Amino acid sequence: MHAALAAALAAALAAGCASTSAAGPRDGAAASPTGDAYPGTYRAIASAPVLVSGATVLTGTGERLDGADVLMRDGRIVAVGRGLDVPADAVRVDGSGKWVTPGIIDVHSHLGVYPSPGTRSHSDGNEMTSPVTAAVWAEHSVWPQDPGFHAALAGGVTSLQILPGSANLVGGRGVTLRNVPATTYQGMKFPGAPHGLKMACGENPKRVYGQKGGPATRMGNVAGYRAAFIDAADYRAKQKAGGDKAGKRDLKLETLAAAMDGEILVHIHCYRADEMVTMLDLADEFGFKVAAFHHGVEAYKIADRLGADGVCGALWADWWGFKMEAFDGIQENVAIVDRAVNGCAIVHSDSEEGIQRLNQESAKVMASARRAGIDIAPERAIRWITRNPAQSMGILDQTGTLEAGKRADVVLWNGNPFSSYALAEQVWIDGARMYDRHDPSRQPRSDFMLGRGAAAGGGR
C-alpha cells in the first residue's frame, strides 16, 4: 500500500467516510443511459479549508491575478482574489513567488490500459478483433495501480480521459478518471462525467485490418463507419419504439446510438485535414457531434472550420512525421487552432511520459508561436491543458477553471508553469492535498516500482 493511499484511507476513516457535497450516491453513473451498470464509487477525501496566498494565479478563464489568494473549503473553490479573509480553521500556504493554476487535465491518456512500466500482460488498450468494437469500455481494462498515475500526479494532472487505442474504426468507450489512489477503477470515476467514444481515421485501421478482411483503404474505412451508424440508427429507432420491436440489447449499437443522442462524446484520432472534414460530414449525415479531433497534425489547415463547428483540436506541441499521415505538421498548429474564432485548442499527451509535463509541452507551443509572430500570454495558454480539455470531456461545469463553486482541483507551481524549470510543488484534488514535492508522505509510491530506477518507468 503506498503512502498516498494510506493517507487517503486515514482521512476517509477520520471523517467517517464523509464525502463533500459534490459526491452523491452512485456518482458517475448518471450521464450515460447504461453507465449505472458499473457505477462510480469515488468519494472526495475530507479536508480542512486551505488558503493559498500571495501567488500569481492563472484562473483558466483567461485571467491572470498577481498577488492573489485561492480559498478552498469542503472540496470546492470558495473564492479567488486579492486580500481574501482567512478563515480561522484554514491551513495557510504561502504562495509568494509561486504560481497557481487549475489542475491539469489530459484528454487523451492510456494510463491504466497501457500501464507504465509496460508489460505484454498489461497491454489491454486495443481490442483488435474487429474494425468496430464499440461494445468495449476502456474502464474494464484500467489497472488502478498503474504507477503512471503517480507520475502524472507529480506533473499536476488531476483528471484524465482514458481511451481505447486507435487500431479500430470505432475502438470503444473512454472513461474520465480522477487521479486518485484506488483499488478499483470505479473508485476513480469522475462523478457525472459522460463516456467518450474513441474512433480512428486513416492508416491505423488500414494497417490492422488490411490483411484481415478489411478495411484496406480509406474508402473502406468510411464505408465501415457508415454501415455501423446505419445499424445504430435502426437499433435506436427500435429501442425508442419499444415493445416487441425493441429486440435484444446490443452493446455495440447501444454505444453508437448514445453517441448519436449526444450522451456519449465523440473523440476521433485523425491526422489529415481532408479526413477530419470527411468525419465532420459523417457526423452531419448521422446527426452526432464531434467533441474533438485528437492528434490532428493538419488541424491548422481547417482551424476556422473547427472553430465554426465548435470542435476542439487535441494536439501535440511538436510530434509529427512519424508516418505518412502525420507528415505535414507545423509547430504552430496548436496556436493557429487556438487563434480561430471560437477555437478550442488542447495540448494532449497520448504518452505516459508526456503527461508528466503538459505544461512544458504547452510552453513549446508558445515559443514556436512567438517565433512566428504570435505572442500568447500564460493566462491564455493555460486553457489548453485545463479549461479546454474539460470542455471537450463534458466536465467544464465541474473543473478546468478556478471559479467559485467548482471542484478544488489546484496546482501550486514553484514558478511560472511555462518555464523549463517549473515543477508542481503541491496538488489538491477536491481540496485534498494529494501530492507535495517536499513531503514524502504525500508522494504516491507503488509496490510495483520497488527496486526499479526511474528510467524503468513512472516518474522521469
Side-chain angles (χ1 to χ4, degrees):
M1 181 182 297
H2 51 65
L5 178 56
L9 287 172
L13 290 170
C17 295
S19 63
T20 70
S21 58
R26 295 169 68 84
D27 270 349
S32 167
T34 59
D36 55 5
Y38 303 88
T41 58
Y42 169 76
R43 296 292 182 271
I45 297 172
S47 57
V50 177
L51 180 83
V52 183
S53 61
T56 299
V57 179
L58 304 179
T59 63
T61 62
E63 189 175 21
R64 167 178 171 162
L65 300 171
D66 293 311
D69 309 331
V70 177
L71 178 61
M72 305 171 243
R73 178 187 283 276
D74 296 332
R76 296 279 166 169
I77 300 292
V78 175
V80 180
R82 299 183 183 88
L84 299 182
D85 292 334
V86 185
D89 57 346
V91 175
R92 298 194 61 161
V93 177
D94 183 5
S96 302
K98 301 175 182 179
W99 292 49
V100 173
T101 70
I104 306 304
I105 300 170
D106 190 4
V107 69
H108 191 125
S109 175
H110 299 301
L111 293 183
V113 299
Y114 287 122
S116 56
T119 67
R120 184 182 294 273
S121 60
H122 280 159
S123 177
D124 292 313
N126 264 320
E127 182 63 28
M128 294 185 290
T129 53
S130 170
V132 179
T133 56
V136 307
W137 297 17
E139 63 194 65
H140 297 145
S141 281
V142 168
W143 181 45
Q145 296 177 74
D146 176 1
F149 288 119
H150 309 158
L153 181 64
V157 174
T158 54
S159 298
L160 61 173
Q161 178 172 234
I162 310 301
L163 292 168
S166 57
N168 300 344
L169 301 176
V170 183
R173 296 194 191 196
V175 62
T176 295
L177 302 179
R178 306 292 276 157
N179 194 9
V180 296
T183 52
T184 67
Y185 78 82
Q186 291 95 331
M188 302 174 73
K189 290 181 79 169
F190 193 114
H195 278 135
L197 176 64
K198 175 69 178 296
M199 297 177 63
C201 299
E203 294 178 16
N204 284 15
K206 278 174 22 130
R207 183 183 70 247
V208 173
Y209 294 103
Q211 304 301 317
K212 296 195 297 185
T217 62
R218 283 183 162 84
M219 59 185 173
N221 285 352
V222 176
Y225 308 131
R226 298 181 79 193
F229 278 105
I230 288 170
D231 288 345
D234 184 60
Y235 176 80
R236 182 175 65 161
K238 290 178 179 175
Q239 292 294 309
K240 290 185 176 179
D244 295 338
K245 293 183 178 179
K248 182 180 177 182
R249 188 179 174 194
D250 186 307
L251 296 179
K252 179 179 78 173
L253 299 179
E254 187 173 80
T255 291
L256 294 172
M260 296 167 75
D261 285 335
E263 295 164 347
I264 294 177
L265 305 181
V266 178
H267 293 261
I268 307 180
H269 155 126
C270 212
Y271 291 83
R272 285 187 0 196
D274 60 308
E275 285 198 276
M276 286 185 260
V277 172
T278 297
M279 297 305 280
L280 291 175
D281 288 346
L282 177 82
D284 287 342
E285 180 179 7
F286 292 100
F288 66 89
K289 177 174 172 54
V290 180
F293 286 112
H294 294 221
H295 311 334
V297 164
E298 296 185 14
Y300 64 94
K301 298 179 180 178
I302 56 167
D304 291 345
R305 173 71 187 274
L306 295 178
D309 284 19
V311 178
C312 297
L315 312 168
W316 290 300
D318 55 3
W319 284 16
W320 65 278
F322 44 88
K323 55 182 174 178
M324 192 66 192
E325 64 184 357
F327 205 76
D328 205 6
I330 61 172
Q331 292 175 318
E332 298 82 6
N333 193 19
V334 174
I336 292 174
V337 170
D338 178 67
R339 200 178 191 185
V341 176
N342 296 322
C344 175
I346 298 169
V347 175
H348 68 351
S349 79
D350 189 19
S351 162
E352 73 278 10
E353 294 188 33
I355 196 172
Q356 300 175 35
R357 47 187 68 87
L358 282 170
N359 57 314
Q360 293 174 350
E361 293 299 305
S362 299
K364 291 181 187 176
V365 177
M366 297 167 73
S368 297
R370 188 177 303 118
R371 286 192 292 271
I374 305 172
D375 205 16
I376 300 171
E379 53 267 34
R380 183 164 186 89
I382 195 66
R383 294 156 46 103
W384 303 340
I385 50 177
T386 60
R387 183 202 175 280
N388 292 354
Q391 175 183 316
S392 75
M393 294 154 64
I395 55 174
L396 182 57
D397 61 333
Q398 292 291 311
T399 189
T401 62
L402 300 179
E403 296 179 276
K406 286 200 172 182
R407 292 177 177 274
D409 300 339
V410 178
V411 183
L412 177 69
W413 303 87
N414 65 348
N416 184 334
F418 301 110
S419 161
S420 298
Y421 302 101
L423 293 170
E425 286 198 347
Q426 297 193 46
V427 181
W428 292 268
I429 297 178
D430 280 332
R433 186 164 55 106
M434 303 302 296
Y435 176 80
D436 188 328
R437 188 168 295 275
H438 303 300
D439 182 353
S441 72
R442 297 286 175 172
Q443 296 172 10
R445 290 187 295 275
S446 167
D447 292 345
F448 295 95
M449 294 299 290
L450 290 176
R452 300 177 68 91
R460 300 186 183 182

